[in-house]
Amino acid sequence: QLLLWDVTGKNKYKSNVEEFLDYLWNVDYTPKGLIWLESSQWGSLRYAADLAHFAMQAASLGVDTENSLEFAENQMNYILGDAGRSYVCGWGNNPPERPHHRASSCPDQPKECGWNDFNNQGPNPQVLSGAMVGGPDYNDN
């Protein structure tokens, strides 16, 4: 709807965007401020990041600009560490060290990589700098 409004300028699309933003402002949030949708139970940050992008695009088109920018900034800051830890590998305070990613679990080549490497309890040998992990649960854990 947002892209359709941007391309066509038709108010029916803008109205849909405004309704969706109103919905976002009134859904549930975790105690530390992450938006929480019914689908957030697995990979909660992908929804927060996607919706932050949507809100920034809406703001750039003049739709509920102040609320949209505040929402986007809050969600991105949560992801980057405002809740007490970063959810981006190689970034911020206490970043993830064991993302669920096979290649980051492997030792440097030419050593072979196997399940023992994947199941190692220490930090992954390869840091996926900039990779966002799935995210916390509803209680910010």
Side-chain angles (χ1 to χ4, degrees):
Q1 301 294 311
L2 184 62
L3 293 175
L4 287 169
W5 179 62
D6 187 22
V7 172
T8 67
K10 293 183 179 179
N11 282 332
K12 69 178 183 175
Y13 298 122
K14 181 181 180 184
S15 295
N16 290 340
V17 170
E18 291 169 332
E19 286 177 28
F20 183 67
L21 290 173
D22 285 340
Y23 163 77
L24 292 182
W25 311 157
N26 294 294
V27 297
D28 208 5
Y29 288 79
T30 68
K32 293 184 180 178
L34 181 68
I35 190 168
W36 194 264
L37 306 172
E38 186 177 320
S39 55
S40 294
Q41 293 178 15
W42 191 88
S44 57
L45 295 180
R46 63 183 161 162
Y47 301 109
D50 181 53
L51 294 170
H53 179 263
F54 180 90
M56 285 189 284
Q57 186 65 28
S60 74
L61 296 172
V63 183
D64 201 356
T65 303
E66 187 175 321
N67 287 329
S68 294
L69 289 176
E70 180 181 358
F71 169 81
E73 183 177 3
N74 289 341
Q75 296 308 295
M76 296 311 297
N77 285 338
Y78 183 103
I79 292 166
L80 293 172
D82 274 7
R85 67 144 324 142
S86 171
Y87 291 95
V88 178
C89 297
W91 175 266
N93 180 44
N94 191 24
E97 294 182 333
R98 293 188 35 82
H100 185 79
H101 188 276
R102 183 177 180 191
S104 76
S105 304
C106 294
D108 290 335
Q109 292 185 344
K111 291 183 181 177
E112 291 199 26
C113 183
W115 284 110
N116 288 337
D117 298 302
F118 184 76
N119 294 320
N120 174 23
Q121 294 302 308
N124 290 358
Q126 313 304 324
V127 177
L128 298 173
S129 295
M132 183 180 73
V133 296
D137 64 15
Y138 181 72
N139 295 308
D140 298 300
N141 297 314

